[in-house]
Amino acid sequence: MLALALLLAAAAAVPTPAELRIAQARVAVARTPEQPRPHVELAMAFARRARETADPDQYRRAEEALATALRLAPGDFAARRTRAWVLLGRHEFARALEEARALNREVPDDLLTYGLLADAHAELGQYAEAEKAVQWMLNLRPGNVPALTRGAYLRELFGDVEGALDFMAQAFDRAPLEETEDRAWILTQIAHLHLAVGRLETADALLARALELFPRYHYALAQQARVRSAQGRHAEAAALLRARYEAAPHPENLYELGEALARAGRAAEAEAAFDGFERAARAESDGWDNANRELVAYYVDRARRPEEALRLGRAERARRSDVFTREALARALFASGLVSDARAEIEAALSVGIRDACMLYRAGVMAAAAGDAAAAARHFQASLEANPRSEVAAEARRALQPES
């Protein structure tokens, strides 16, 4: 244990890629404070640090640096492009899309602008437009890492997990060795894809590698907890999610911790986590960066307040129409007894092609409630085929068994 503690302390003493960029940019700002470029580089370094730490205050610092850059050079392209990046990080997807479109009109062959377009379109549920943007990135520079990772995300949404894995593997091979957070992030995404189809052991090994590259990485801890949960090791999953919440204290992370504590049989601790989650999530529910989808799940599954779930689901759906928001609204509609509307919403989500086992299972439950036995059976079977080791696999198998 002492050796592990010393190893973690040593790792913590080594600056991360974003910390190095912040230090370098601050030196450049001090040397030439009247030039906009160092301020833009500082802003981008803060934005990258936000992903490393999940600390939203890094985006505030980025915005301050960008304000200085744009005061020095109003309309500066790099500053505006970084501002769109920050807007994406703050989940202001519509504003980010507007900014990215303006940048694209100004410089139609800028690779990173197409990445911003792809991200904004995908988060808003405009998948055909996101796909076009990623294809432009690949046309402009075949095999570039930003395009490969975005293409992998879309391939997963379109139901092509193996194609997504291919793109992510290529991205990992091309990622610079010194970019340890980038490489850990890619490994975490590859692990997520393996986990999504039930390859737990492969996912676990990849996550161990990610945590070696970037110790205490909050994204990897979350995925590792999901592996432990799928293995039935719920106490370990809860410990990992507690560590993740300590590193990234966001309401949605507290909700996932509550779920793990409940599965581990620690009811009092789970209740405390859910209470804290509800307070924190409601406090930010009117903002762009919110935990409204988790609130919907909480009000449907835990608090049994379908009217509140429906209000939040509809409000979030008005902002974005990605598959996960549509699924959340479908769950709220179903809990409110609006079975036909719920089916329409979840079928629209599935029409993208996504092969998420839990989503398919819920579609089966909704179809069964509507009396459509054939559609229910198709969805339950598809859920099992997508991931035979998912958390809903046992329920799907039972649903497919003929009544005696």
Side-chain angles (χ1 to χ4, degrees):
M1 291 297 292
L2 178 59
L4 176 61
L6 291 171
L7 180 63
L8 290 175
V14 177
T16 69
E19 287 176 321
L20 285 171
R21 285 185 171 87
I22 290 169
Q24 292 164 356
R26 281 175 166 159
V27 169
V29 165
R31 186 178 297 127
T32 57
E34 73 288 352
Q35 295 297 317
R37 182 51 60 88
H39 298 281
V40 175
E41 291 173 351
L42 180 59
M44 194 63 213
F46 282 133
R48 290 178 65 90
R49 185 62 176 157
R51 191 175 79 167
E52 289 185 351
T53 63
D55 178 7
D57 192 56
Q58 300 296 330
Y59 288 122
R60 178 191 60 77
R61 297 176 183 179
E63 287 175 333
E64 289 175 354
L66 288 173
T68 301
L70 289 166
R71 177 177 54 79
L72 291 169
D76 181 80
F77 185 88
R80 290 161 50 215
R81 188 176 62 192
T82 305
R83 183 170 61 189
W85 184 294
V86 170
L87 288 169
L88 285 168
R90 295 173 66 92
H91 290 196
E92 295 187 47
F93 304 124
R95 282 189 62 199
L97 179 58
E98 182 181 354
E99 184 79 76
R101 280 173 167 163
L103 292 165
N104 185 243
R105 287 192 295 270
E106 190 172 321
V107 183
D109 61 351
D110 181 68
L111 181 80
L112 294 181
T113 298
Y114 280 107
L116 298 172
L117 286 168
D119 290 344
H121 280 306
E123 293 291 349
L124 292 168
Q126 300 162 359
Y127 297 119
E129 292 86 349
E131 186 178 20
K132 290 175 185 175
V134 172
Q135 190 59 59
W136 268 107
M137 297 177 78
L138 291 168
N139 292 345
L140 287 167
R141 192 189 306 163
N144 72 88
V145 172
L148 289 169
T149 56
R150 287 167 171 85
Y153 178 64
L154 291 176
R155 282 183 166 184
E156 180 190 3
L157 289 176
F158 297 159
D160 182 9
V161 172
E162 298 307 318
L165 281 167
D166 175 55
F167 266 13
M168 278 295 183
Q170 291 184 54
F172 184 74
D173 288 343
R174 288 168 169 78
L177 293 177
E178 68 273 13
E179 297 296 345
T180 53
E181 191 268 342
D182 279 353
R183 292 171 67 80
W185 183 86
I186 294 170
L187 283 174
T188 300
Q189 299 310 307
I190 295 173
H192 154 74
L193 291 166
H194 282 290
L195 177 59
V197 294
R199 296 195 282 260
L200 308 186
E201 295 76 13
T202 302
D204 204 11
L206 288 162
L207 292 166
R209 288 178 62 194
L211 287 165
E212 287 176 6
L213 275 174
F214 205 88
R216 296 187 296 273
Y217 193 34
H218 58 101
Y219 289 122
L221 290 172
Q223 291 298 326
Q224 200 171 55
R226 289 165 195 154
V227 171
R228 295 289 173 269
S229 181
Q231 293 170 331
R233 297 157 65 179
H234 301 302
E236 293 177 48
L240 287 163
L241 288 172
R242 189 176 295 283
R244 181 256 205 127
Y245 180 67
E246 289 169 356
H250 301 300
E252 59 269 29
N253 297 346
L254 187 55
Y255 176 75
E256 196 167 354
L257 173 59
E259 291 275 89
L261 289 166
R263 285 191 289 267
R266 292 153 62 177
E269 292 176 75
E271 193 62 32
F274 286 131
D275 287 346
F277 157 73
E278 184 182 13
R279 286 193 302 273
R282 288 192 69 89
E284 66 177 33
S285 65
D286 291 332
W288 293 105
D289 190 357
N290 60 54
N292 285 347
R293 294 194 301 228
E294 290 78 11
L295 268 175
V296 168
Y298 172 73
Y299 286 132
V300 167
D301 296 334
R302 298 283 174 181
R304 301 292 192 267
R305 293 176 58 187
E307 73 292 340
E308 190 62 10
L310 187 56
R311 182 187 70 80
L312 286 164
R314 282 174 167 160
E316 198 61 21
R317 174 67 177 80
R319 295 178 178 183
R320 53 197 298 201
S321 56
D322 62 288
V323 296
F324 305 108
T325 301
R326 299 195 81 148
E327 182 198 21
L329 176 56
R331 296 182 69 185
L333 288 163
F334 187 70
S336 300
L338 301 171
V339 177
S340 178
D341 292 342
R343 285 194 72 192
E345 201 66 35
I346 204 163
E347 293 292 349
L350 290 172
S351 70
V352 172
I354 188 168
R355 302 280 295 168
D356 179 87
C358 291
M359 195 181 299
L360 287 161
Y361 172 77
R362 291 181 184 123
V365 171
M366 294 174 193
D372 190 343
R378 284 197 303 273
H379 286 312
F380 291 139
Q381 187 61 43
S383 175
L384 285 171
E385 290 171 358
N387 184 356
R389 301 171 75 177
S390 78
E391 63 187 82
V392 296
E395 290 88 343
R397 289 190 185 94
R398 280 194 293 270
L400 286 168
Q401 289 175 355
E403 295 183 6
S404 56

